[in-house]
Each structure stands twice: as C-alpha cells, then as structure tokens.
Amino acid sequence: MAHLHRTPLPVPEAVERVMQYKRKGGVERKHLHESGGRVLAENVSATHAVPPFHKSPYDGFALCSADTKDLSRENPGTFRVIETVAAGHRASRELRPGEAVRIMTGAEIPQGADCVAMFEICTTGEDQTGHPVMTLKRRMDAWQNVIEKGSETEQGEVLVPEGSKINPGVQALLATFGYSEISVYKKPLVGVFATGTELLEVDEPMEPGKIRNSNASMIQAQLERSGAACTYLGKLDDDFDSCYEAVSSALGDYDVLITTGGVSVGDYDLMPDIYKKLGAEVLFNKVAMRPGSVTTVAEHHGKVLYGLSGNPSACYVGYELFAHPILQHFMGNTRPYHTRVQAVLGQDFKKANPFMRFVRGKLHYEEGMVVVYPAGMDKSAIVTSLAHTDVFIVLRGGTRGYSKGDMVEAVLLEDQTGQTQF
Amino acid sequence: MAHLHRTPLPVPEAVERVMQYKRKGGVERKHLHESGGRVLAENVSATHAVPPFHKSPYDGFALCSADTKDLSRENPGTFRVIETVAAGHRASRELRPGEAVRIMTGAEIPQGADCVAMFEICTTGEDQTGHPVMTLKRRMDAWQNVIEKGSETEQGEVLVPEGSKINPGVQALLATFGYSEISVYKKPLVGVFATGTELLEVDEPMEPGKIRNSNASMIQAQLERSGAACTYLGKLDDDFDSCYEAVSSALGDYDVLITTGGVSVGDYDLMPDIYKKLGAEVLFNKVAMRPGSVTTVAEHHGKVLYGLSGNPSACYVGYELFAHPILQHFMGNTRPYHTRVQAVLGQDFKKANPFMRFVRGKLHYEEGMVVVYPAGMDKSAIVTSLAHTDVFIVLRGGTRGYSKGDMVEAVLLEDQTGQTQF
C-alpha cells in the first residue's frame, strides 16, 4: 500500500516540485469590457501621443504670445475674438495677429496661437462694429497654459507590459488607445471530482452515515476566486475501477484535474494508486504540514493532477498552496504566488507545532501594522472557520505555540498583487 | 451659472450627505454556485448537527468500552470482528458483547459501540473457525476516539449572519447544510453616460481635436470591481436639451445613474443645470479635494445621480469615494466603505496640499508594515498612474508636502473587507 512508503516532504520543496510543471496557457482575444481581472498577453502601447494635440488646460483665450510682448497694466492690448472653440471642435481657420479665440478646457489650440490667457485675467467687450473683443494687460510666454502635444506620453511608448493584470485603470488606458479588443491569457479549464461513498449532493436529503459534499462547492468557489474556469464532474464512490475510469476519461478534456478525498491512509487510499495505474508520476503523497499532510500531487504528460484531502480545511489549504500558483502561471500572471507578509499575531495560539501549520485566520490592519487572528478556536469554529478566513497564519514546525504579539508570516488569500517567489 | 455659487464641501461631509440616501436593494434567490461575492440576505444555520452521527476519527475497531475494562498487556482480550464499515456505510446490526467492527475514518460508530481502538494498537488474526478476530491489550474509555454527534455544531445554530459576504468557506457551509439556493441582495443596476462632444468611442479612429472616451470603460470596470451591474448608455454631446432628454428618460430604468464630464466650470457646465431642471436636489457640486473638486451629486426621488468629472483621475476618485459605498449598501454589505489603514509613505510627496488630496498609489507590505507609494510621478504617469493604482494615499489639506516615512492614511481599493464608517 502506498502509504507505507510515504515520507513527508517540506512545504517549500513540495511547492517547488509542483511548479516544475507550470506552463502558460494559450492566448485569446477579449473585448475590452470582458477583460477585467485577466492578464495581458501583449504590451499596451500609446497608439498616439497624449495629448494628441496642443490642448488648453483652462477656459480662456488662445492667442499668439508675440502679440503680447509689450502689454502691461499701463499698456493693455485689445484682440478681436474671431470664434469660440469648445472641446471636441477645431478652430475654422488660422489665427492672425491681433486676433484671439475663446477656448474651452480640453479644446485644441488653434493654428497660429501658442498660449492661453485664462478667462479671469481678461476683460471682454465689443468694438465699435459690435464685434466681440478681449482686453489683456500682461505679456504671455510662448506655450504658457498649453499642454503640448505628446507632453504626457509619446506615440509608441509601452505603457503596461504583457503579464500585467487588467484593472480599471488599465481598462481606461485600453480605451484611450483604441484597444477595443485585447489579447489575454486563457483561463485554465479545471475538472473537479469529489470521491467518497459517504457523500450526498447538496440537494439530497440527509441519510444515516452520510454527509453532504461540501468540498466540491468550496473548490469551485476557490477556483472562481483564482480566476480559473471550473467544471464539476460529479462524485465518485470509493471504488478503484470506477474512479480510475472516471479520472482517465476526463484527463484529456481539462488542463488540470482536482479530486477531493480518497487520499487518507487506509483501505480506501485510492488516488495514489490510480495515479500509478495512469502512468502518472506521483510528485509527493505526504507533506510536512497541518492540515493537509496527505495531499497528493501527480503529473501526467505535463498535466498536474491534484488529490486533495477529503477534510475541508486540508482540502482548502492544499488547493491554495499547490494549485493556485499553477493556475496563476497558466493565466500569465508573473506573480503567481499568494502575497506573504510579516504580521503580528493578534491572540495566543498555544498548540504545539511538530509540523508547519497553516492556521485559517482573519486579517486586520491596526495602526499601520498587519495583525492576524486565528479564525475562531471555539467548538463550532471547526465548521465555520473557513467562512471567516482570508489569510493563512504560517506557524513553523518544531515550536511549542505562539503568543499574542509574536511576528508571524501570513499568506493573503484575497490580495490581487501576488509575488514572484513562494 | 451654477459655478458662481459653488462652495467646496469637506470630503467627510460630502460622503455623509450622499449616504443619507443609501438604501438596500431587493433580495433574490441564487444557486449556491452563483452566489460567490454576493451578500447573504438570510442567516446560514446548521440544518443538522455536526457531525450528524457519532463518527470515527481513525481507522480502527469500534467496540464497547465495558468489554475492555479488565484488559491489559498481561490480560489481552479477543473480539470477533463481525463486519467492516466504511465511510458512507452503516453497520448491519447492533454490536453484542465480545464483538468488534472494523471501522474506517469518517464512518458511523455502530449501535452498541462507544469507542474506537486505533488500528495500530490492535492485532488481527482468525479464530479456529477461520473467522476474523482482533486482540486488544488495554482498556478503552467510553467515547474514546469518537467524535460525538453535535460536538462541533448543534442543529439550529446560526453560523454566518445575514449581511456577510459569500466567500469559498461560506459556500462550503452552504453545501454542508443543504442550501442549494440562498437569498442574496440584488446587484444595483447602474446606467452610465459619458458626456463630451470631444469624445470618440473606443473603436472609432482618431480625429483632430477629439480624444477617445476612456471614462466609460473605466467606470464600467470600477462598477464591476464593486460588484454592481452596469449598462453603458452611450456618449452625449455637450448640449443641454439632448443631455436632459437622455438623462430624464434613463432615470426610471436604473437604481443609480452616473455621468462623466459636463461638470467643469465653463460655458458647458451641464449636469448641475440638468439636475435642477429634473427637480433633483443637488447635494453638492464642489468638494474640497484634489482631484475631483467639481464632482456633483444629486438626489431624485431617493435615487442618487452622480455627475463625475470628465478628467480620468477625478472621475476615478469621485466614483470610489461617493458611489462605491452607496452601491455596497445597496448590495447588503454592512461594511460599505473602503478599508482605510494607517500606512507608511514610501517616498517623498513634496506638493503642497491646500485641499485634501487623494494620491493614486500602490500598496506594499514591508516587514509587517503597510507601505504606500505614489503611482509614479514622472511624465507618462499622468496617463498610466491609474493602471498602477490599488490605494489612495490620503494627504490632509493645509500641508506643505509629506516626506518618506511619514504616517499617512491609505484607502484600500481591492480589499474585500470594508469598514462600517467612512
């Protein structure tokens, strides 16, 4: 039996062994509005200069600075206002000496003008013929109050590199530069089986000796949070032949296959044996951690197969540590690992840790410090702790418990940043 | 003109004024697998005890502790193994004295048994008739190695209260307790207009004097990040009558209406005047902050109308400060405001702040401290800063700049936690 030969592998080595089989998925074109949260598979470049023309930052009058060089309070100058240009419009002709154009914020500076006198410093009126005029009492410099073409970004500049996650600000850039479609990495297709004769589906009534299948729903939700595409393939009885059949026939259809259950030590220790019969290489079947020590991961022709524990907490932890980074890499994320931070432990955790422990916890911010609290240690927390979990508190093996105020490491599960190393 | 009477309102008062018009949206039933990220509109309770039966935590033999009371190394006892019970199965009959049942992890303890002897401490063999037997050399206590029915959670206990966000752990609980459907708060329907004659749509070629409409795409992405449902209603020219017509006819179809542009001081200062003609109450049209000082918010028969700036940064900030919490409350979130934390400023920011400033920034964690960096202050950052933004760095008004290492407040834009107060 496989379990007789199990040697617990330290967590970092287990992660490294899985990540040897990381691969990037394909690329697809997505409409700008369907690209949120995906990863760019191409650079976003400035397809035109910004601003694309000399632009007025204010409401005022555009004119030629040379026309103003002798002006002062004692020697005001009067300009003929030939037209008004609003944002989105252009002046109808080039400005001539002695002329000004009333210009609105964001509008293009007319040909022949090279500065803008703000509305507040100008006096408006009419000349003898009733034509609008403007009087100015100071000199203007060339390019004063003009946002010059290309002054913010030159055409061709790479603004957001391939491998970046698309957030609302990136979507604004895509729109600015006319990317109505964009190349993004595909989502991995993940197939999920739950194994266990004791399992009932969510909509089945309770039966003696049975429990409802919660891991399949949880894993689907975790996959959704990771940004992957998930298909639930159903539950399997603890029977070698039917499990083997189901797993081997699904293998071709998915980028990654996850099963829950069927990995604990005992007579029904199915998954490791199924992996062997498939000809898959078992990367490990025991990890030096709690919970999740019986997590099994295998590799078959470059595809990673996860045999997660049937215990909900162990299943949850196994997914986030070993599956999340593979899926992030597949989706093109250059920072595939969950962000890990130094944090202050908010309450005592006095359990001894012979192995590295991933305590489900809750993140708080207190006066600039990151503080983490174990997600409830009372009775019903066994059931509810995952509902209140947004971090793992990492407690090293070989310790006799931790005290409130100790510095610990925390793995952030809902942070979008990620990091490049485990 | 409206702008003549504008008095800048401090940000907290502006937020408070908007939040007077918060209202909760309706409730809808969602399938468990479509409920991720939504907010519970009902309590999740334990519909049965956990575990639902006395359960074995180990592989071993279930037997009656009274049968073992005289056993020791010197006085071993031999039990007749009458059957094997795997998880999901039940023993076929009650245990009698002198009998044991081989039991697997997670299986139900048979009637008549009250303890489990772990496999490792038992010796197995056969009696003279070839029937399997098990020999034990120690006494067992009643309920030793038994997870008693209801020991984790009693039936009826409220596990996750109404108003909580549904994460993968909550979905696991929903599955455990048979909630294949669940009541959640509806998403608000938000209509978005972009105003500005200078605007081109994303798929239109560039034209002299025009720029592409990036705010509509950005706002849609921000709405998506907030969890709202968005309909883009198109762009409008800077023309009072057509804008008034479009806004007033859309008003009935959406829970919230957002326009971008048409609020800056000038001849084309449309939105405040449109709100007045609609009979809407303008809550404010100037806020003592940068960027976004011209943000206008109005209320019409309980609906909130946002006139955000046409400047992308101002539009982005105005949305997150004034629209996000209204939408979160609509969706039932009891913590509708973005999480605000004390953070260390990672680099100098030497600009004077006559008004409160919301600097677009990036969050880092450094040795347990939250450190924030302005999202680039070089030339092209004017265009790209929003693409690198996941926090606002809040710099108080009336200051002459900040130095690296100063403690500042940061608004977390991608955090899922939220807080109850602004």
Side-chain angles (χ1 to χ4, degrees):
Chain A
M1 273 189 288
H3 69 270
L4 295 175
H5 309 289
R6 287 183 171 183
T7 309
L9 199 66
V11 175
E13 291 174 34
V15 171
E16 196 185 347
R17 217 174 268 191
V18 177
M19 289 299 276
Q20 285 177 343
Y21 296 95
K22 71 184 180 191
R23 60 197 172 95
K24 271 192 189 174
V27 167
E28 61 185 338
R29 300 285 291 172
K30 275 280 162 190
H31 189 274
L32 159 58
H33 293 157
E34 290 166 349
S35 69
R38 304 293 283 270
V39 176
L40 288 171
E42 60 177 308
N43 292 330
V44 177
S45 302
T47 54
H48 58 73
V50 176
F53 44 79
H54 298 321
K55 187 172 81 171
S56 176
Y58 302 118
D59 293 342
F61 291 92
L63 65 174
C64 177
S65 59
D67 268 9
T68 70
K69 67 180 193 313
D70 300 322
L71 302 189
S72 66
R73 191 174 294 233
E74 295 70 33
N75 181 37
T78 294
F79 298 82
R80 203 174 145 83
V81 180
I82 57 168
E83 62 182 310
T84 296
V85 180
H89 296 277
R90 304 193 94 182
S92 56
R93 66 166 175 81
E94 193 172 335
L95 204 74
R96 294 181 201 127
E99 293 179 343
V101 160
R102 177 123 167 68
I103 193 165
M104 299 298 149
T105 304
E108 185 177 13
I109 307 290
Q111 290 283 325
D114 66 357
C115 65
V116 173
M118 285 174 74
F119 195 61
E120 289 79 350
I121 65 165
C122 303
T123 316
T124 54
E126 290 180 356
D127 66 11
Q128 296 107 324
T129 70
H131 193 90
V133 296
M134 175 280 282
T135 302
L136 181 66
K137 294 178 178 172
R138 63 172 82 164
R139 64 171 285 177
M140 303 290 298
D141 295 327
W143 306 113
Q144 191 175 347
N145 296 338
V146 171
I147 306 174
E148 288 179 66
K149 176 179 174 176
S151 60
E152 294 175 8
T153 297
E154 281 157 38
Q155 184 168 349
E157 197 178 328
V158 173
L159 301 175
V160 189
E162 180 268 341
S164 305
K165 202 168 254 191
I166 299 176
N167 65 21
V170 173
Q171 278 169 289
L173 278 183
L174 291 172
T176 299
F177 293 107
Y179 290 83
S180 57
E181 282 200 339
I182 183 80
S183 293
V184 299
Y185 286 99
K186 284 186 182 169
K187 293 183 174 197
L189 301 177
V190 183
V192 174
F193 283 112
T195 72
T197 307
E198 77 279 22
L199 298 180
L200 297 169
E201 288 300 10
V202 179
D203 48 7
E204 292 182 273
M206 288 297 281
E207 278 177 37
K210 307 240 171 182
I211 58 169
R212 288 210 190 80
N213 172 9
S214 62
N215 285 341
S217 298
M218 184 179 75
I219 285 287
Q220 287 176 82
Q222 288 176 284
L223 284 163
E224 194 184 324
R225 183 167 68 185
S226 294
C230 171
T231 304
Y232 175 50
L233 300 169
K235 66 184 163 75
L236 302 171
D237 285 340
D238 295 315
D239 167 71
F240 185 88
D241 292 333
S242 60
C243 281
Y244 174 79
E245 185 53 43
V247 169
S248 75
S249 73
L251 209 49
D253 299 334
Y254 298 93
D255 299 310
V256 164
L257 212 54
I258 294 178
T259 56
T260 67
V263 290
S264 61
V265 179
D267 290 4
Y268 295 90
D269 184 10
L270 286 169
M271 295 315 301
D273 293 336
I274 285 173
Y275 294 145
K276 282 192 189 121
K277 185 167 174 187
L278 283 170
E281 185 196 352
V282 173
L283 304 180
F284 53 84
N285 58 14
K286 193 157 181 113
V287 188
M289 68 176 196
R290 296 285 182 276
S293 64
V294 296
T295 305
T296 299
V297 181
E299 174 272 327
H300 184 264
H301 298 318
K303 278 186 193 176
V304 185
L305 313 177
Y306 292 90
L308 301 179
S309 169
N311 171 286
S313 291
C315 182
Y316 188 101
V317 171
Y319 171 85
E320 298 294 345
L321 289 182
F322 304 116
H324 177 82
I326 279 279
L327 299 171
Q328 291 302 308
H329 183 86
F330 191 99
M331 285 180 273
N333 191 341
T334 53
R335 305 170 69 87
Y337 299 100
H338 281 304
T339 309
R340 290 163 83 102
V341 304
Q342 290 296 312
V344 179
L345 188 63
Q347 71 184 62
D348 289 348
F349 188 92
K350 287 304 189 187
K351 236 185 242 182
N353 296 296
F355 295 99
M356 182 177 263
R357 188 182 289 276
F358 291 86
V359 179
R360 282 75 67 209
K362 189 98 196 75
L363 178 75
H364 290 256
Y365 300 95
E366 297 172 9
E367 296 175 8
M369 303 297 285
V370 181
V371 185
V372 289
Y373 294 84
M377 298 179 65
D378 54 330
K379 197 183 72 159
S380 60
I382 303 171
V383 175
T384 62
S385 69
L386 294 174
H388 302 115
T389 291
D390 56 14
V391 295
F392 294 148
I393 304 168
V394 186
L395 304 181
R396 296 180 169 284
T399 57
R400 280 191 289 170
Y402 284 75
S403 302
K404 177 178 171 169
D406 284 352
M407 288 304 285
V408 292
E409 216 180 1
V411 178
L412 308 188
L413 302 174
E414 304 205 332
D415 178 80
Q416 297 296 307
T417 314
Q419 56 187 51
T420 55
Q421 301 289 321
F422 178 71
Chain B
M1 272 188 290
H3 69 271
L4 296 176
H5 308 290
R6 288 184 172 184
T7 310
L9 199 65
V11 175
E13 291 174 33
V15 172
E16 196 186 344
R17 217 174 266 191
V18 177
M19 288 301 274
Q20 285 176 344
Y21 296 94
K22 71 184 181 193
R23 61 194 171 98
K24 270 192 191 173
V27 166
E28 63 186 335
R29 300 285 291 174
K30 276 280 164 192
H31 189 275
L32 159 59
H33 293 156
E34 292 166 346
S35 69
R38 303 294 282 272
V39 177
L40 287 172
E42 61 177 307
N43 292 331
V44 177
S45 303
T47 54
H48 58 71
V50 177
F53 45 79
H54 299 321
K55 189 172 79 170
S56 177
Y58 302 118
D59 293 342
F61 292 93
L63 66 173
C64 177
S65 60
D67 269 9
T68 70
K69 69 180 192 315
D70 300 323
L71 302 190
S72 65
R73 190 172 296 232
E74 294 72 31
N75 182 36
T78 296
F79 297 81
R80 202 175 148 82
V81 179
I82 56 168
E83 63 181 310
T84 296
V85 181
H89 295 277
R90 303 193 95 184
S92 57
R93 65 168 176 83
E94 193 172 333
L95 204 73
R96 293 182 201 129
E99 293 179 344
V101 161
R102 179 124 167 65
I103 194 166
M104 300 296 148
T105 303
E108 184 177 12
I109 307 291
Q111 288 283 323
D114 66 356
C115 64
V116 173
M118 286 174 73
F119 195 60
E120 289 80 352
I121 66 165
C122 303
T123 318
T124 54
E126 292 180 356
D127 66 10
Q128 295 107 325
T129 69
H131 192 90
V133 295
M134 175 279 281
T135 301
L136 181 67
K137 292 177 179 173
R138 64 174 81 164
R139 64 172 286 175
M140 302 290 297
D141 296 326
W143 307 113
Q144 192 176 347
N145 296 338
V146 172
I147 305 174
E148 289 179 64
K149 174 178 174 175
S151 60
E152 294 176 6
T153 298
E154 281 156 40
Q155 184 169 350
E157 198 178 328
V158 173
L159 301 175
V160 190
E162 179 268 338
S164 305
K165 204 169 252 191
I166 298 176
N167 64 22
V170 173
Q171 278 169 289
L173 278 183
L174 292 171
T176 299
F177 293 108
Y179 289 84
S180 56
E181 283 200 335
I182 184 79
S183 293
V184 299
Y185 287 100
K186 284 185 181 170
K187 293 182 173 198
L189 302 176
V190 183
V192 174
F193 283 112
T195 72
T197 307
E198 77 277 22
L199 298 180
L200 297 169
E201 289 300 9
V202 179
D203 48 6
E204 292 182 273
M206 286 299 281
E207 279 177 35
K210 307 240 172 185
I211 58 169
R212 288 210 191 82
N213 173 9
S214 63
N215 286 340
S217 298
M218 184 180 74
I219 285 288
Q220 286 175 82
Q222 288 177 284
L223 284 164
E224 193 184 325
R225 183 167 68 184
S226 295
C230 171
T231 303
Y232 175 49
L233 300 169
K235 66 184 163 72
L236 302 171
D237 284 341
D238 295 316
D239 168 69
F240 184 89
D241 291 333
S242 60
C243 281
Y244 173 80
E245 186 55 44
V247 169
S248 75
S249 72
L251 208 50
D253 298 335
Y254 297 93
D255 299 310
V256 164
L257 213 54
I258 295 178
T259 56
T260 67
V263 290
S264 62
V265 179
D267 291 6
Y268 295 92
D269 183 10
L270 286 169
M271 294 316 301
D273 293 337
I274 285 174
Y275 293 145
K276 280 190 192 122
K277 185 168 174 188
L278 283 169
E281 185 196 350
V282 174
L283 305 181
F284 53 84
N285 57 15
K286 193 158 181 112
V287 188
M289 68 177 197
R290 294 288 182 275
S293 64
V294 296
T295 306
T296 299
V297 181
E299 174 272 327
H300 185 262
H301 298 319
K303 278 185 193 177
V304 184
L305 312 177
Y306 293 90
L308 301 179
S309 169
N311 171 286
S313 290
C315 181
Y316 188 100
V317 171
Y319 172 85
E320 298 293 347
L321 289 183
F322 303 118
H324 177 82
I326 279 280
L327 300 171
Q328 290 303 307
H329 183 86
F330 191 99
M331 287 180 271
N333 191 341
T334 53
R335 305 169 69 87
Y337 300 99
H338 282 305
T339 309
R340 288 164 85 102
V341 303
Q342 291 296 311
V344 179
L345 188 63
Q347 71 184 64
D348 289 350
F349 188 93
K350 288 303 190 189
K351 235 185 244 182
N353 297 296
F355 294 100
M356 181 177 264
R357 189 182 287 277
F358 291 86
V359 179
R360 283 75 67 209
K362 190 100 194 75
L363 178 74
H364 290 256
Y365 299 96
E366 297 172 9
E367 297 177 7
M369 302 297 286
V370 181
V371 185
V372 289
Y373 293 84
M377 298 180 65
D378 55 329
K379 197 183 74 158
S380 58
I382 303 170
V383 176
T384 61
S385 69
L386 294 175
H388 304 292
T389 291
D390 56 15
V391 295
F392 294 148
I393 304 168
V394 186
L395 303 181
R396 296 179 169 283
T399 56
R400 280 191 290 171
Y402 284 75
S403 302
K404 178 178 171 169
D406 285 352
M407 287 304 286
V408 292
E409 215 179 3
V411 177
L412 308 188
L413 302 174
E414 301 203 333
D415 178 79
Q416 296 297 306
T417 314
Q419 57 187 50
T420 56
Q421 301 289 322
F422 178 72

